[in-house]
Amino acid sequence: MKCLILAAGYATRLYPLTENFPKPLLEVGGKTILDWLVDDIDTLGAIDEYVVISNHKFAEHFSRWAKKKTQKITVVDDGTVTNEGRLGAVRDIQFAIDTLSIDDDILVIAGDNLLDFSLTDFVSYAIVKKSSCIMRYYEPDHNKLLKCGVVTIDGNDRILDMTEKSPTPATNWCCPPFYFYTKEDARLVKVGIDEGCGVDAPGSFAAWLSRKRAVYAMEMKGKRYDIGNLESYEKVKKEYKGLC
C-alpha cells in the first residue's frame, strides 16, 4: 500500500509564517505535522512507501525532511510555483500516480491536519471493508458544513450521497481529508477527472467514485485539528497533546 500525502498547497492564510516554508513541516508539540502523521501510520506496517506531493517552491524542504526519516519517502514536485497556478488536490493525486507508475491500494491524506487518534484504525477499517473508504465526523456548526464535504450514509456506513461545499448540506456528517482507495478504484482517478469531477477539493473524487462504486465512511474516533490561519496554529500548539 502507498500513502500519498497532499502537500502542494501554499497556505496563504498563514503568511508570513508559510510564505517561504511549507505548512506540513510546522512544528506542534516538538514534532512536525508530517512526523505526527507518518510515524503514527507506520506503526501498522501496511505502508511500503510514502509519497509527498509538493509544489516546486517547497519540494526541497520536503526532500531535506525525508532524508531524516527511516521510512521510504519519495517527494514528487508537481512543478507549480504559485497558489493561482496550483493543479488541485485530485490532479496532484493523478500526477503522483503517473509519475511513479503507482498501481496499488493508496491511502491519501492531507499533510496539514493533526489527529488525536491513530489513523491505523481507519486503514484497518478499510482493509476489513475491502472497499474504498473515507472518514466522517458529526459537525453541528452549519457554517462549517458549508465549507467541507458532507456525506449521507446507510446503516452499514455505505455512502448514499456526498457533496463538496454544498449550499444546502443534507446531513451533519462532515468528511475530513483522509481517503483509502483500492487499487482498482485508484485506476479511476483519471476517469473521474476526464468526466468532470472537481479537482480542487480532495474529496471531489471520493464523491464522484461513490456514485460508481461502494464507498464506506468510518466515524472518526477522536478529534481533528485543522490549522487554517495563524490564530488556529497558535491554538493548536497550546492544545494538542498527541495521540490519545
Side-chain angles (χ1 to χ4, degrees), residues 2 24 26 63 74-75 93 104 130 169 198 240:
K2 306 293 186 287
L26 293 177
S63 294
T74 302
V75 178
I93 294 170
D104 200 350
K130 297 179 180 179
Y240 189 67

Side-chain angles (χ1 to χ4, degrees), residues 87-106:
L87 297 184
V90 179
R91 285 202 183 103
D92 269 326
I93 294 170
Q94 186 61 45
F95 178 81
I97 290 172
D98 290 342
T99 300
L100 301 176
S101 300
I102 295 172
D103 190 27
D104 200 350
D105 296 340
I106 58 174

Side-chain angles (χ1 to χ4, degrees), residues 76-239:
V76 295
D77 176 356
D78 74 0
T80 70
V81 293
T82 66
N83 186 57
E84 293 73 24
R86 66 188 185 276
L87 297 184
V90 179
R91 285 202 183 103
D92 269 326
I93 294 170
Q94 186 61 45
F95 178 81
I97 290 172
D98 290 342
T99 300
L100 301 176
S101 300
I102 295 172
D103 190 27
D104 200 350
D105 296 340
I106 58 174
L107 173 67
V108 179
I109 67 172
D112 59 357
N113 280 234
L114 283 168
L115 303 171
D116 67 2
F117 64 96
S118 178
L119 261 176
T120 60
D121 294 336
F122 174 57
V123 178
S124 298
Y125 173 91
I127 291 172
V128 170
K129 285 291 189 182
K130 297 179 180 179
S131 183
S132 295
C133 298
I134 66 170
M135 290 200 295
R136 60 185 168 92
Y137 64 92
Y138 188 85
E139 177 53 71
D141 188 328
H142 180 76
N143 288 328
K144 291 182 179 179
L145 289 171
L146 297 175
K147 301 175 183 178
C148 66
V150 171
V151 66
T152 302
I153 57 170
D154 67 13
N156 193 38
D157 291 349
R158 180 170 177 171
I159 297 175
L160 301 176
D161 185 52
M162 182 175 174
T163 58
E164 277 288 342
K165 300 180 180 180
S166 170
T168 55
T171 72
N172 290 84
W173 288 120
C174 190
C175 307
F178 299 89
Y179 317 89
F180 171 84
Y181 297 119
T182 65
K183 176 170 67 173
E184 294 75 20
D185 289 350
R187 292 170 179 167
L188 297 177
V189 176
K190 186 177 187 305
V191 178
I193 294 171
D194 290 344
E195 290 191 1
C197 89
V199 296
D200 191 35
S204 295
F205 174 67
W208 176 88
L209 183 65
S210 69
R211 295 190 287 272
K212 310 284 185 180
R213 304 280 186 92
V215 181
Y216 295 88
M218 184 194 88
E219 185 172 359
M220 278 172 38
K221 298 181 179 180
K223 186 176 179 182
R224 165 200 174 209
Y225 297 80
D226 182 16
I227 299 169
N229 53 33
L230 290 170
E231 182 181 2
S232 64
Y233 177 49
E234 292 302 321
K235 184 178 179 181
V236 169
K237 286 197 294 182
K238 292 177 182 178
E239 294 182 358

